[in-house]
Amino acid sequence: MPMPTDAEIARFRDDGAVCLRNAIPLEWIERMRAAVDDDMASPGPMVRINTPQGAPGLFFVDFQLWQRHPAARAFVYESPAREIVARLMGSKEVIYYHDHLLVKEPGTQERTPWHHDQPYYPIDGEQVVSLWTPLDPVDRATCVEYVKGSHRWGRWFQPKFFKQGGVDLQVQDSRFEPLPDLDAERGQHEFLAWDMEPGDVIAFHALTLHGASGNRSTARRRRAWATRWCGDDARYGARAGQISPPIEGHGLKPGDRLECETFPKVWPA
C-alpha cells in the first residue's frame, strides 16, 4: 500500500490533519468490521453508551479492542499503520498507546463535542498522532471536522467527558483553558473534512481540535476505529483529575519513556 508522500507529510505537519487515500488494505477493514461487531456484542470494561435511553440511533464507544480481539491486535503489530505514523511523525520508533471505537448507528443525534485529545492523555511530547479509520463509507457531513492548524496555537483546552446517557461534563484543570465556541467562530477558522471510503484514513495530531455531527443517515452505519501512536519524544506526563481512557497498571512515572507491556513498541518490528 502507498506510504504518505512528502506533500502529505507536509500537510499533516502544517494543517494538523490529512486524509490518506487507500492507506489501509481492505482485508484489514473486513477483519476490523468483524472485530467491532464482536465487541459490540460483548463490550470491554470501559464501554460507554452516549445515547440517552429512548433516543434514536446509538452512539457506542469502547476502548482497547487490541487487548481482546485478535484482528485488532494484528492490526497494531502487522498493518501498514505503524510505518505510516512513523513517517508522518519523523520518528525512528513507534509506541502504541491505545485505541478508541466510536460507532454511530443510523439516526444517532449525539455529536462528538469539540475537543483535542492530548489534554485527556498523560502524555507529553510533540509526536502523538491518531489514525481515524472509517469502516463504512462516510460523507463530509458525517466525517469528523478538524480546525486547520489548531495544533500550532500553543493552547491546551479543558477536556470534556460524556456521562452515561449523553450529557457532557467539563472537567476543570488550572493548566488548561476553556474551549472557545468554535461553531460561533466558524468564519475565523478553516475546517477540514472529507468524503471517505473504507481504506482511507485521517491522520491527525493530538492537539488538533476536532468534533463530529451525529449520523444523519437513515440507513448507513458509521463505524470508526481510532488508533493512537507515539514517537521518540513522547514521555509519560502528570495530569490533574480524570484521564481518558483510564489505563492503569503500567507503573510509569512522569518523565518516563512510554515503552512497556501496556504501551508496546511496534515499529520497527
Side-chain angles (χ1 to χ4, degrees):
M1 299 302 288
M3 285 291 120
T5 65
D6 289 346
E8 289 168 333
I9 293 170
R11 284 205 300 276
F12 167 75
R13 296 180 184 177
D14 292 342
D15 298 350
V18 63
C19 182
L20 304 173
R21 302 293 184 184
N22 300 309
I24 302 298
L26 292 180
E27 65 187 74
W28 287 109
I29 301 300
E30 292 292 344
R31 293 173 69 180
M32 283 310 306
R33 285 171 176 162
V36 165
D37 290 342
D38 287 347
D39 191 78
M40 294 184 73
S42 182
M46 291 186 276
V47 65
R48 294 202 312 265
I49 305 299
N50 290 337
T51 298
Q53 188 172 4
L58 173 69
F59 186 2
F60 177 96
V61 173
D62 205 357
F63 297 89
Q64 298 297 72
L65 273 67
W66 81 282
Q67 294 182 337
R68 301 186 304 277
H69 299 281
R73 186 175 184 86
F75 183 94
V76 169
Y77 282 97
E78 301 170 20
S79 79
R82 304 163 299 149
E83 186 175 359
I84 289 171
V85 296
R87 294 194 182 199
L88 290 170
M89 294 188 292
S91 182
K92 294 178 181 178
E93 296 183 346
V94 175
I95 305 298
Y96 189 69
Y97 179 36
H98 77 272
D99 60 66
H100 187 183
L101 172 64
L102 305 103
V103 178
K104 294 182 179 181
E105 298 290 9
T108 299
Q109 298 177 354
E110 288 71 41
R111 65 169 286 116
T112 304
W114 290 109
H115 69 288
H116 54 186
D117 292 342
Q118 202 158 355
Y120 293 78
Y121 303 161
I123 307 293
D124 294 329
E126 286 291 323
Q127 293 173 317
V128 186
V129 62
S130 292
L131 294 183
W132 191 84
T133 306
L135 307 179
D136 304 287
V138 174
D139 61 22
R140 193 185 190 285
T142 308
C143 181
V144 183
E145 282 190 298
Y146 300 85
V147 183
K148 182 179 179 179
S150 54
H151 65 309
R152 294 183 175 271
W153 289 358
R155 303 167 70 186
W156 289 47
F157 298 104
Q158 294 167 347
K160 290 187 175 183
F161 294 88
F162 271 100
K163 291 181 177 178
Q164 196 78 2
V167 178
D168 61 24
L169 171 69
Q170 186 157 295
V171 176
Q172 300 296 323
D173 186 312
S174 61
R175 297 169 298 172
F176 305 145
E177 61 181 290
L179 186 71
D181 186 343
L182 292 169
D183 289 311
E185 295 182 357
R186 277 195 171 266
Q188 302 175 34
H189 309 293
E190 183 174 348
F191 294 82
L192 304 174
W194 298 269
D195 295 318
M196 299 178 68
E197 294 293 330
D200 301 339
V201 300
I202 299 172
F204 64 97
H205 191 278
L207 287 176
T208 304
L209 287 165
H210 56 286
S213 70
N215 184 356
R216 300 167 187 171
S217 171
T218 59
R220 180 182 290 175
R221 307 178 76 186
R222 201 217 72 172
R223 293 170 291 180
W225 191 47
T227 48
R228 322 296 192 182
W229 317 76
C230 299
D232 299 332
D233 77 346
R235 296 293 184 269
Y236 191 75
R239 295 286 181 268
Q242 187 174 351
I243 63 172
S244 179
I247 300 172
E248 299 176 345
H250 45 70
L252 297 178
K253 300 182 179 68
D256 286 350
R257 293 188 71 253
L258 293 183
E259 184 181 351
C260 62
E261 185 175 352
T262 305
F263 309 126
K265 186 177 80 170
V266 296
W267 183 263

